[in-house]
């Protein structure tokens, strides 16, 4: 299996790192290209054998599966660029949520899927979300899921639920880190605890909480009940959080969905405009 990466910014390079580190791929199985070529040169120095493609087309030509790791509004440009060298056997994967299967299927002659990864894959953890296109056979699906299972837990989701599922799996690490950052800064300011100690304790706590939710059979509600003995300190603090955060998560979900919808409107325009142009010429 040969795997290509178009775009080696934050997420493209993280996926390359994680897939090599986990043993899922050897560097010689990978080809990569990026708008700024020096980013790929750095990767090929770090992983001898990784092929530094001179163009996105070269990445496609050398690969069976190609991950498009660029931002949503860069998709149209990348697709137009690689189109002449894409054939029906290629599997092209979008790692970004607002790009729809219909955008990919209407503009590419190959098999397509969306796989929304998470920064947690850097440590072989977290969920990756799968939304397969109709041209993906059962064999293609298990090939892609098998590859990603080395660095996270594959989850099939409906495209209509892409935003809310990636809110948890992909944006979640940032949201929870924000929560912890605020908490740690208050702790440092009010109690004098060393920031490094607070960070280490917060990380261990989050890891353990994650395990209780995934392996320990707890729901978030049950976990609160287990820790918050009636009349105790945790119960009092939970009441404070409940009052102060009332409505925050509704607003959070509205915010992520509004931004997603904005991107989707722009993508629909870009993909439609380009189809109209193609018909004219
Ligand atoms: N950061 C995260 O945790 C996650 C990000 N994503 C999605 O992944 C996508 C990429 O995100 P990042 O890697 O954080 O962005 P980034 O900006 O770090 O990387 C994008 C890369 O694409 C390259 N690029 C742009 N146009 C190109 C072209 N025509 N040909 C070749 N390379 C080109 C840029 O030079 C850059 O290196 C975004 O849509 C993001 O929403 C998805 C899941 C998680
Ligand atoms: O494309 C997305 O929705 C992802 C989730 C986190 C960042 N970007």
């Amino acid at each position: 299996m040969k795997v290509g990466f178009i775009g080696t910014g934050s997420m493209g390079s993280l996926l390359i790192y994680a897939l090599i580190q986990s043993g899922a791929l050897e560097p010689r199985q990978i080809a990569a290209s990026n708008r700024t070529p020096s980013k790929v040169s750095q990767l090929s120095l770090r992983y001898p054998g990784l092929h530094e493609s001179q163009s996105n087309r070269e990445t496609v030509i050398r690969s069976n599966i190609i991950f498009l790791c660029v931002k949503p509004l860069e998709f149209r440009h990348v697709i137009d660029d690689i189109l002449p060298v894409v054939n029906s056997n290629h599997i092209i994967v979008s790692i970004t949520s607002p790009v729809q299967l219909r955008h990919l299927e209407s503009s590419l002659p190959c098999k397509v899927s969306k796989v929304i990864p998470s920064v947690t894959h850097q440590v072989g953890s977290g969920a990756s979300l799968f939304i397969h296109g109709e041209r993906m056979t059962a064999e293609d699906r298990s090939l892609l899921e098998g590859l990603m299972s080395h660095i996270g837990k594959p989850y099939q989701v409906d495209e209509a639920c892409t935003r809310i599922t990636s809110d948890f799996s992909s944006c979640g690490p940032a949201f929870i880190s924000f929560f912890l950052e605020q908490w740690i800064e208050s702790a440092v300011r009010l109690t004098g605890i060393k920031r490094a100690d607070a960070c280490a304790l917060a990380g261990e706590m989050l890891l353990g909480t994650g395990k209780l939710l995934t392996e320990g059979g707890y729901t978030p509600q049950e976990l609160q009940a287990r820790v918050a003995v009636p009349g105790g300190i945790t119960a009092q603090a939970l009441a404070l959080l409940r009052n102060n955060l009332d409505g925050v998560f509704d607003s959070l979900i509205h915010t992520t969905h509004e931004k997603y919808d904005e991107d989707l409107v722009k993508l629909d325009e870009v993909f439609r405009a380009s189809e109209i142009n193609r018909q004219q010429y």
Side-chain angles (χ1 to χ4, degrees):
M1 177 181 13
K2 298 272 188 179
V3 182
F5 292 84
I6 295 181
T8 57
S10 169
M11 217 49 205
S13 57
L14 185 148
L15 289 174
I16 291 173
Y17 164 84
L19 288 166
I20 293 174
Q21 192 71 17
S22 66
L25 293 175
E26 290 179 25
R28 64 176 176 78
Q29 292 176 277
I30 300 176
S33 49
N34 192 65
R35 189 172 48 194
T36 315
S38 58
K39 284 193 196 166
V40 186
S41 309
Q42 283 163 16
L43 287 170
S44 68
L45 281 176
R46 187 169 178 192
Y47 308 115
L50 181 148
H51 182 79
E52 186 180 344
S53 301
Q54 298 307 307
S55 66
N56 293 335
R57 288 185 190 178
E58 191 186 343
T59 297
V60 173
I61 289 165
R62 297 181 73 98
S63 311
N64 315 110
I65 301 175
I66 302 103
F67 287 87
L68 302 186
C69 306
V70 298
K71 296 196 176 130
L73 295 177
E74 287 156 348
F75 264 72
R76 182 72 255 181
H77 177 70
V78 169
I79 288 175
D80 286 343
D81 178 18
I82 62 176
L83 194 55
V85 294
V86 176
N87 67 48
S88 59
N89 293 321
H90 282 123
I91 297 175
I92 293 195
V93 179
S94 161
I95 70 155
T96 195
S97 62
V99 172
Q100 304 294 296
L101 285 177
R102 65 183 151 78
H103 296 140
L104 301 169
E105 286 184 334
S106 67
S107 55
L108 285 162
C110 63
K111 305 160 186 201
V112 299
S113 282
K114 278 163 69 166
V115 176
I116 314 300
S118 168
V119 72
T120 53
H121 298 339
Q122 185 175 330
V123 287
S125 193
S128 43
L129 308 177
F130 283 77
I131 305 143
H132 294 297
E134 282 182 4
R135 297 176 202 145
M136 291 285 285
T137 64
E139 204 183 320
D140 298 327
R141 291 168 194 224
S142 59
L143 181 73
L144 193 55
E145 289 175 26
L147 178 68
M148 292 298 289
S149 68
H150 286 89
I151 61 173
K153 189 164 183 180
Y155 261 85
Q156 296 259 5
V157 297
D158 282 344
E159 190 163 38
C161 298
T162 311
R163 187 59 265 150
I164 190 59
T165 49
S166 35
D167 277 7
F168 282 103
S169 62
S170 303
C171 303
F175 297 157
I176 295 294
S177 293
F178 173 80
F179 195 88
L180 291 181
E181 180 208 8
Q182 302 289 310
W183 188 5
I184 290 166
E185 287 313 309
S186 289
V188 170
R189 188 165 35 81
L190 297 179
T191 73
I193 187 176
K194 289 200 186 93
R195 187 173 282 105
D197 286 338
C199 268
L201 291 173
E204 291 298 340
M205 174 279 294
L206 197 57
L207 188 63
T209 304
K211 284 190 178 164
L212 284 171
L213 294 174
T214 53
E215 298 166 14
Y218 282 93
T219 65
Q221 205 177 3
E222 287 163 352
L223 204 45
Q224 289 173 67
R226 181 74 198 272
V227 180
V229 292
I233 295 168
T234 312
Q236 201 147 335
L238 276 175
L240 169 115
L241 286 177
R242 215 167 279 122
N243 282 337
N244 280 273
L245 296 180
D246 189 32
V248 164
F249 293 101
D250 283 11
S251 301
L252 180 87
I253 291 170
H254 286 313
T255 302
T256 59
H257 284 66
E258 274 163 22
K259 175 67 173 82
Y260 177 88
D261 289 344
E262 253 175 51
D263 282 354
L264 191 47
V265 168
K266 288 184 196 154
L267 282 163
D268 274 340
E269 274 169 22
V270 172
F271 275 83
R272 205 176 306 123
S274 160
E275 268 152 30
I276 291 164
N277 283 342
R278 256 213 306 278
Q279 279 164 13
Q280 283 172 343
Y281 293 112

